Amino acid sequence: MGKIISIANQKGGVGKTTTAINLSAGLAREGKRVLLIDADPQANASSGLGVEIRELNTTIYECLVSDIDPHKAIVETGVDGLALIPSHIDLVGAEIEMQTMDGREQRMKRILDAVRSEYDYIIIDCSPSLGLITVNALTGCDSVIIPVQCEFFALEGIAKLLNTIKIIKSNLNPALKIEGFLLTMYDNRLRLSNQVYEEVKRHFGELVFNTVITRNVRLSEAPSHGLSVMDYDPSSKGAKCYSALAKELIKR
């Protein structure tokens, strides 16, 4: 049975999608069968892997709202071992459409249950909100990775996310765990980055990944080429960081 991990933080710009793409690619490079689910209406994980969204007939939106078989939405990426269920801007309306549906918080879980046995890891890229789609992802997954950027106000909003996780654990998914806090955009030359690192370590201890994602221009450039950073520049710092993260996750 595959392990299902959501990547979530309602704060935007913390490196969720970058992590979703490159952790998935890193796991695939380690020989794992990986499915990345793009659950963000911005569809950046889809375009960041070179998928032409306008040419798609079936996305995560149709699976959630119309009960379409998720196998019909799966597309292969340019990375061996990495498949994708893409997103679409229509997903913005899914939250409203799902409000009146029975078991509205469990709709993602049905999709995951249908494909779980075919993959070693399923990674869900959540949108920067704590709306119904993110609640669906957290209800259906085994654990959550929380990216935290090494900047001022880094811990702002994390209490709200942790409270949401606690509520979901109590009411919808008792097995839900925090896989770990991932420090992103780290620059060891800056005192602030080191202060944030120490503060997050002090707060969350062993839940913090040993791997830290450093600031790296290649990480920003890779999606515009429709590639993971490993395929865009395998010798870059960014590629090495996410390769190390994939290995650390597998060891856990």
Side-chain angles (χ1 to χ4, degrees):
M1 290 287 275
K3 183 168 191 177
I4 303 171
I5 303 171
S6 290
I7 298 177
N9 188 332
Q10 78 273 23
K11 201 169 188 294
V14 299
K16 278 191 302 297
T17 300
T18 299
T19 297
I21 291 172
N22 294 302
L23 174 58
S24 297
L27 290 167
R29 281 183 165 244
E30 292 298 314
K32 303 299 180 185
R33 295 167 303 155
V34 185
L35 176 66
L36 172 58
I37 297 179
D38 189 350
D40 184 347
Q42 295 175 82
N44 289 336
S46 304
S47 59
L49 281 169
V51 173
E52 187 50 67
I53 297 154
R54 285 169 296 185
E55 295 175 4
L56 299 170
N57 295 317
T58 311
T59 67
I60 191 67
Y61 168 78
E62 285 79 15
C63 298
L64 283 168
V65 171
S66 305
D67 289 320
I68 298 293
D69 181 349
H71 293 93
K72 291 181 179 174
I74 295 172
V75 295
E76 294 305 318
T77 69
V79 180
D80 284 345
L82 174 57
L84 169 77
I85 294 183
S87 185
H88 191 276
I89 190 64
D90 288 351
L91 195 60
V92 168
E95 303 233 343
I96 297 163
E97 293 175 68
M98 288 163 63
Q99 287 294 337
T100 55
M101 294 180 180
D102 290 336
R104 60 186 183 182
E105 297 93 352
Q106 310 276 353
R107 296 189 72 78
M108 180 75 80
K109 188 175 187 301
R110 291 179 208 168
I111 294 166
L112 295 165
D113 287 347
V115 296
R116 182 175 195 143
S117 63
E118 297 160 41
Y119 297 95
D120 298 307
Y121 288 92
I122 298 175
I123 306 291
I124 308 172
D125 182 27
C126 296
S127 64
S129 78
L130 292 177
L132 187 53
I133 305 290
T134 300
V135 168
N136 260 263
L138 294 173
T139 301
C141 70
D142 300 311
S143 61
V144 56
I145 290 175
I146 303 170
V148 181
Q149 85 281 33
C150 291
E151 293 179 357
F152 201 55
F153 296 134
L155 297 178
E156 191 182 63
I158 284 192
K160 195 172 180 183
L161 174 59
L162 293 178
N163 191 49
T164 300
I165 290 169
K166 187 177 174 185
I167 292 165
I168 288 169
K169 203 171 158 67
S170 299
N171 300 305
L172 295 163
N173 184 2
L176 180 62
K177 292 180 178 148
I178 293 173
E179 190 71 39
F181 292 84
L182 175 67
L183 287 151
T184 62
M185 304 176 197
Y186 177 77
D187 187 339
N188 63 5
R189 298 168 301 176
L190 299 178
R191 186 191 298 173
L192 179 61
S193 278
N194 291 301
Q195 286 173 339
V196 171
Y197 177 84
E198 293 302 328
E199 190 178 357
V200 174
K201 268 286 196 189
R202 190 170 67 250
H203 268 82
F204 303 111
E206 289 183 3
L207 280 176
V208 182
F209 281 100
N210 293 323
T211 305
V212 174
I213 309 301
T214 56
R215 279 195 179 279
N216 180 239
V217 71
R218 293 293 194 240
L219 283 172
S220 306
E221 292 171 355
S224 65
H225 296 269
L227 296 169
S228 75
V229 73
M230 282 91 166
D231 295 292
Y232 179 62
D233 186 350
S235 64
S236 66
K237 267 192 197 173
K240 288 172 182 170
C241 288
Y242 277 108
S243 178
L245 178 64
K247 287 171 181 164
E248 184 177 350
L249 183 64
I250 290 166
K251 275 186 188 171
R252 285 189 172 201

